[in-house]
Amino acid sequence: ASGVGKSALVSDSLKGFVERSGGLFLSGKFDQMETSGPYDALRQAFDGLISFVVRHYTPEKLETWRKTLLKVVGSEGYVLTSVIPSLKSLIGENPQKCQILSSKDTSSNRVINVQDRFTFSFA
């Protein structure tokens, strides 16, 4: 049943546990009625992470993260900044352009591959 608070219950329970364990809880909500794109929940989650990093890290640590992320995503940073525009605040603009790929497009594996490398860099 929609609207009964299932997501809020899970989020509140997990968020407390993750933060007590020294982690950072990320979340994004998939809304099948929303037409903003197949990666919107991913974008929401990483927007929270990027916002946290930009607000809480020193300029020196931000530069270290920028170098690390650029090394991890390589020349495919444009794939992530197409899906997660706020990432530009960490890795800068990328001259290549990329359409946000549909989930049925076989090249969406490229998004998954780059996203995996990006995610593991924060783990």
Side-chain angles (χ1 to χ4, degrees):
S2 65
V4 296
K6 299 179 298 291
S7 296
L9 175 65
V10 171
S11 177
D12 290 347
S13 300
L14 287 176
K15 184 176 183 177
F17 174 76
V18 169
E19 289 176 351
R20 283 191 302 278
S21 300
L24 182 64
F25 183 79
L26 305 176
S27 66
K29 186 162 176 81
F30 174 76
D31 183 355
Q32 64 189 120
M33 304 308 261
E34 182 66 38
T35 59
S36 56
Y39 301 105
D40 195 49
L42 176 71
R43 181 200 50 78
Q44 291 172 31
F46 282 113
D47 279 347
L49 174 63
I50 293 163
S51 175
F52 178 85
V53 167
V54 169
R55 281 193 332 263
H56 291 94
Y57 286 11
T58 65
E60 294 80 19
K61 190 151 186 168
L62 284 173
E63 180 61 18
T64 300
W65 270 109
R66 185 186 74 76
K67 289 178 182 176
T68 299
L69 292 173
L70 285 171
K71 184 177 178 181
V72 167
V73 301
S75 64
E76 294 181 320
Y78 68 94
V79 174
L80 284 177
T81 58
S82 295
V83 178
I84 311 166
S86 64
L87 181 58
K88 292 175 189 174
S89 65
L90 286 179
I91 67 171
E93 291 284 335
N94 193 299
Q96 292 180 289
K97 300 292 180 198
C98 174
Q99 284 186 325
I100 296 177
L101 305 170
S102 75
S103 58
K104 294 179 182 175
D105 189 338
T106 58
S107 62
S108 67
N109 288 332
R110 182 172 34 143
V111 173
I112 294 167
N113 187 327
V114 175
Q115 181 264 322
D116 284 350
R117 294 191 321 252
F118 173 73
T119 302
F120 287 123
S121 70
F122 283 98

